[in-house]
């Protein structure tokens, strides 16, 4: 299993998963973290910019933990079989530990349509 965590600042769990370009990827085997690596995507491979498929480093994730995401990304993840989790936890390692223990407090993730306020900024409707 792979868990991705949005971390634009490379330190904490950050919001706006769709626009995020930095993700911690945790490889999980038998309920334990086996590997952790930082993936840095070019802007055109962010979730927001790539509507067809996930960027190669994120193609096999099973879970995405983030501080916030829009409704469109939430539905896209669900349709791809990825569990979207929005949390107030800021520490990526703690979030993964809590998730694996079934103790990560998930916040309501939908509806969150803040992106619609800025449709003119990226030239498309959702």
């Amino acid at each position: 299993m792979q868990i991705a965590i949005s971390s634009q600042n490379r330190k904490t769990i950050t919001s706006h998963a769709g626009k995020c370009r930095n993700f911690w990827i945790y490889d999980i085997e038998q309920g334990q973290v086996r590997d952790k690596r930082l993936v840095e995507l070019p802007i055109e491979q962010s979730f927001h910019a790539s509507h067809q498929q996930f960027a190669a480093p994120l193609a096999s994730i099973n879970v995405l933990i983030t501080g916030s995401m829009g409704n469109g990304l939430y539905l896209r993840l669900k349709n791809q079989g990825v569990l979207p989790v929005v949390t107030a936890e800021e520490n990526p390692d703690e979030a993964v530990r809590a998730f694996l223990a079934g103790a990560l407090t998930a916040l309501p993730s939908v509806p969150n349509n803040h992106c619609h306020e800025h449709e003119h900024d990226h030239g498309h409707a959702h």
Side-chain angles (χ1 to χ4, degrees):
M1 172 170 62
Q2 284 190 337
I3 299 173
I5 296 199
S6 62
S7 185
Q8 190 60 31
N9 63 10
R10 301 177 186 96
K11 296 175 185 164
T12 62
I13 298 174
T14 55
S15 299
H16 302 290
K19 294 184 180 184
C20 186
R21 295 176 41 219
N22 298 319
F23 294 86
W24 286 106
I25 305 293
Y26 292 77
D27 291 313
I28 310 299
E29 292 178 17
Q30 298 177 348
Q32 300 294 317
V33 175
R34 294 291 175 222
D35 187 37
K36 173 187 173 185
R37 65 193 177 283
L38 182 68
V39 170
E40 299 182 57
L41 303 175
I43 188 75
E44 63 273 6
Q45 289 185 359
S46 71
F47 286 118
H48 197 71
S50 62
H51 289 283
Q52 299 306 314
Q53 58 187 11
F54 297 158
L58 301 177
S60 58
I61 65 170
N62 306 96
V63 179
L64 173 65
I65 299 174
T66 185
S68 73
M69 74 178 73
N71 191 40
L73 179 56
Y74 178 87
L75 294 173
R76 187 172 158 208
L77 290 165
K78 294 287 281 184
N79 288 338
Q80 294 285 331
V82 176
L83 176 64
V85 178
V86 175
T87 184
E89 174 62 59
E90 294 185 356
N91 182 306
D93 292 340
E94 288 299 318
V96 169
R97 272 194 284 278
F99 178 81
L100 293 174
L104 182 63
T105 302
L107 301 174
S109 52
V110 226
N112 177 0
N113 295 319
H114 65 272
C115 187
H116 288 281
E117 299 170 18
H118 305 289
E119 280 182 12
H120 63 279
D121 291 343
H122 47 75
H124 65 268
H126 291 259

